[in-house]
Amino acid sequence: MSRERRLEVMRDPSTGAFGVAVVAVVLLSRFVVFATLRPAPLLVGALWCVSRTSMAAVIDRVPDARSLPDTGAAGESSTTGGGLASAFMGRRLPGWAAWLALAASAGVATLWAFPAGTAAVGVANVAFTGVLFLGLRRLGGFTGDVLGAAGLVAETVGLLVAAAKW
C-alpha cells in the first residue's frame, strides 16, 4: 500500500475489523494487568508521563507525515497539514526537559518496585520508539494516530512487564 493510501485510510473515521480487534486486545490486556497488580498509582503515573513526554518530544523533531509534500493524482505537489498536533508545532520541548521527565518517571516507577518499575519504564520507552520507527518507515513521519498508538502501546507493554513475576 502506498504512503498516500495509508494516510487516506487513517483519515477515514470508520473502524475496521483489525481496529476493533486491537482495541479489544489493549483493553483486555490492561484489565488483566490491573486485576493482577496491587494498586500501583506510582507506576501508572510514571508510564503515563513516559508516553506523554515522548509524544511531546517527537513534535518538531520528527517530520509530520501529513505535512510532507506528496504527489496528487495529476502529479502535482500538495501539503496536507493540520490535526490536533498543529497547535503544538513550533513549540519544541527542550531536550533537557524531556530527559528530566523520563528520568523522574523512572525514579517514581523504581520507588513503586525495583526492578519491575524500572524495567517497565525502560521497555515502555523501547515500545514507543518501535511504533514511532514503524510510522517513520511506513509514512515518512508521525501522525496523531501514530503518536496515540505509540503512547498506548508503551503504556500497555510497560504494564505487562510490571505485572510479570519478578
Side-chain angles (χ1 to χ4, degrees):
M1 184 182 302
S2 72
R3 176 183 163 277
E4 290 79 17
R5 176 70 181 130
R6 282 189 170 103
L7 290 172
E8 182 182 323
V9 167
M10 291 171 70
R11 200 173 289 121
D12 183 10
S14 64
T15 304
F18 286 113
V20 172
V22 168
V23 168
V25 167
V26 167
L27 289 176
L28 183 62
S29 298
R30 286 174 172 237
F31 176 78
V32 168
V33 167
F34 286 128
T36 304
L37 283 177
R38 66 184 190 274
L42 290 176
L43 174 68
V44 172
L47 291 173
W48 184 87
C49 185
V50 165
S51 69
R52 291 342 185 245
T53 300
S54 299
M55 289 180 196
V58 164
I59 297 174
D60 280 354
R61 286 186 172 82
V62 175
D64 178 9
R66 297 199 193 279
S67 295
L68 294 172
D70 58 53
T71 56
E76 71 277 1
S77 179
S78 64
T79 311
T80 58
L84 295 175
S86 62
F88 300 98
M89 299 297 200
R91 297 181 180 180
R92 180 180 235 187
L93 177 68
W96 64 267
W99 284 109
L100 181 64
L102 293 175
S105 297
V108 168
T110 302
L111 284 175
W112 170 73
F114 180 79
T118 312
V121 167
V123 171
N125 278 315
V126 170
F128 185 94
T129 304
V131 174
L132 181 64
F133 278 131
L134 181 63
L136 282 169
R137 191 172 63 103
R138 295 278 180 106
L139 302 171
F142 76 91
T143 65
D145 290 341
V146 170
L147 291 182
L152 279 177
V153 167
E155 291 170 6
T156 304
V157 169
L159 287 169
L160 289 169
V161 167
K165 298 295 179 197
W166 287 88

